[in-house]
């Protein structure tokens, strides 16, 4: 059973930064594509960033140049560095693991961007 635990969310002013972390357990981490999604109130969950098992990355257009996904294979952890935050980045951010047509989700971490 794959378990994902996010951390690092919080309240930040516009223009600020955070680093979100997602610790994975119960699986061979390196086999999985890892991603971050977010869901704002009243909106559908959307892809923010993804990194394949081979290290390729893809980002939503709205976050390109501001967010960076990375992973530490020794720590079984994936990170999302979020910079230059905007109020519209406010959402619950979810970690996702994907392998062989199966998705796993963390519980989410709240990011609120407000002055």
């Amino acid at each position: 059973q794959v378990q994902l635990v996010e951390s690092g969310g919080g309240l930040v002013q516009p223009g600020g930064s955070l680093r979100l972390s997602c610790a994975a357990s119960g699986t061979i981490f390196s086999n999985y594509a890892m991603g971050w999604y977010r869901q704002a109130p009243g909106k559908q969950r959307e892809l923010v960033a993804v990194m394949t098992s081979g290290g390729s990355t893809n980002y939503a257009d709205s976050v390109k140049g501001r967010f960076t996904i990375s992973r530490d294979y020794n720590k079984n952890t994936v990170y999302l560095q979020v910079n230059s935050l905007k109020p519209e980045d406010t959402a619950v951010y979810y970690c996702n693991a994907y392998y062989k047509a199966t998705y796993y989700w963390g519980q989410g971490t709240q990011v609120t961007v407000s002055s």
Side-chain angles (χ1 to χ4, degrees), residues 34-89:
M34 300 297 297
W36 289 93
Y37 288 69
R38 67 185 181 186
Q39 187 166 17
K43 295 188 176 181
Q44 290 187 332
R45 192 172 296 189
E46 63 175 357
L47 174 68
V48 175
V50 63
M51 179 179 280
T52 68
S53 58
S56 299
T57 59
N58 193 30
Y59 296 90
D61 288 342
S62 60
V63 307
K64 283 180 181 177
R66 300 188 298 122
F67 291 11
T68 303
I69 188 171
S70 61
R71 58 197 293 177
D72 185 330
Y73 291 91
N74 291 327
K75 295 183 178 179
N76 282 4
T77 300
V78 61
Y79 303 98
L80 186 69
Q81 179 67 41
V82 297
N83 299 328
S84 303
L85 283 163
K86 306 175 182 180
E88 52 264 41
D89 294 318

Side-chain angles (χ1 to χ4, degrees), residues 3-61:
Q3 296 175 338
L4 304 173
V5 179
E6 302 102 329
S7 61
L11 173 63
V12 63
Q13 293 186 342
S17 299
L18 289 170
R19 189 175 79 156
L20 309 183
S21 300
C22 171
S25 61
T27 185
I28 303 174
F29 179 71
S30 60
N31 288 343
Y32 284 70
M34 300 297 297
W36 289 93
Y37 288 69
R38 67 185 181 186
Q39 187 166 17
K43 295 188 176 181
Q44 290 187 332
R45 192 172 296 189
E46 63 175 357
L47 174 68
V48 175
V50 63
M51 179 179 280
T52 68
S53 58
S56 299
T57 59
N58 193 30
Y59 296 90
D61 288 342

